[in-house]
Amino acid sequence: WFYYAPNTFKVLSLNRMRREADPRLEKLSTQLQEDPCVVGDWHFLLGPSSLFFSNVEFFVRVLGPFFTTRFLLLPAAAAAAAAALAAGGVLPGGAEPLAAAHAAAAASLVNLVLAELLTNAHAFLVVATNHCGDDLYRFEQHAAPRSPSFYMRQVTSSVNFATGDGRGGHGHAADCVDFLHGWLNYQ
C-alpha cells in the first residue's frame, strides 16, 4: 500500500487519461509521468499524484476497499459466526453470544494484522535480497519504463543465487528456501 498501490493506480490513471485524450496529459512531462509517487511523501499529498488522481479517489478506490474488507468485514463475519454458534450452544463452556462475538472479532483482527505484517516483512526480505546487494550494478540515470534499457537494467541489477544445502548439493532445505523466495533467487 505504501509504494505499489499508488504507483499502480497512477499508471491506471495515466492509461485512462490517454484513452480519454485528457488535455491535462499534454502539460505533464515524461519525467513527471514516470516519477514514482509514494504514500507519506509530500509530493503524494500536494504534488505529482494529485495531477493523476485525487487523494480521496485513491483512498476510496484503492485503500478503502482493502481496509474495509480485511479489517472490518472479516472480523465482523467472525463475530457473527461466533455469536450464532454460542447462541446455538455449539461452543464449549456455554459462552454468551456477545462475549463470543467480541472474542472472535478481536482474535480475527489480531490475526489479520499480524498476518499482514508478516506477509509484508516476508515480501520485503524476498525483494530486498534480490535488489540490494553491494555487488550489484548501480545506475546514475533514470531508464524509461518498458524500454530496452529498463529491461537490461532489470536483468543486470538482479541477483541469481543458488541456496544449496550447505554440502554442495541441492536438497530439501534448499528447496524450502527457494520456495520461500518464490524462486526469485533465480532471475
Side-chain angles (χ1 to χ4, degrees):
W1 60 267
F2 178 75
Y3 178 81
Y4 290 107
N7 283 296
T8 302
F9 194 58
K10 176 185 165 185
V11 170
L12 180 68
S13 299
L14 273 169
N15 287 337
R16 185 193 63 220
M17 292 170 81
R18 288 185 186 111
R19 275 193 318 273
E20 297 172 357
D22 192 322
R24 295 178 299 164
L25 198 55
E26 295 173 10
K27 299 175 186 174
L28 302 174
S29 68
T30 303
Q31 182 69 32
L32 190 59
Q33 292 179 34
E34 294 174 357
D35 281 346
C37 60
V38 179
V39 172
D41 190 1
W42 282 108
H43 295 290
F44 180 75
L45 298 173
L46 306 172
S49 62
S50 63
L51 302 171
F52 307 108
F53 53 85
S54 71
N55 291 326
V56 171
E57 181 183 15
F58 176 69
F59 287 104
V60 167
R61 291 188 61 201
V62 178
L63 295 184
F66 172 77
F67 177 81
T68 302
T69 57
R70 183 67 51 97
F71 301 112
L72 297 177
L73 294 179
L74 285 174
L85 290 172
V90 176
L91 294 181
E96 292 293 321
L98 186 58
H102 183 268
S108 66
L109 182 60
V110 167
N111 278 314
L112 289 167
V113 168
L114 291 176
E116 191 69 27
L117 292 173
L118 182 63
T119 301
N120 282 298
H122 174 259
F124 172 76
L125 291 172
V126 166
V127 171
T129 57
N130 287 297
H131 297 286
C132 297
D134 286 337
D135 58 344
L136 294 177
Y137 287 96
R138 309 252 188 236
F139 301 97
E140 299 286 328
Q141 301 297 321
H142 177 73
R146 296 180 296 278
S147 68
S149 179
F150 173 81
Y151 291 116
M152 185 271 308
R153 290 177 183 200
Q154 290 295 311
V155 171
T156 58
S157 65
S158 295
V159 294
N160 184 12
F161 59 92
T163 54
D165 62 2
R167 296 177 301 224
H170 193 79
H172 295 296
D175 291 340
C176 181
V177 172
D178 292 342
F179 173 77
L180 292 173
H181 274 271
W183 285 274
L184 290 175
N185 51 331
Y186 301 105
Q187 291 191 19

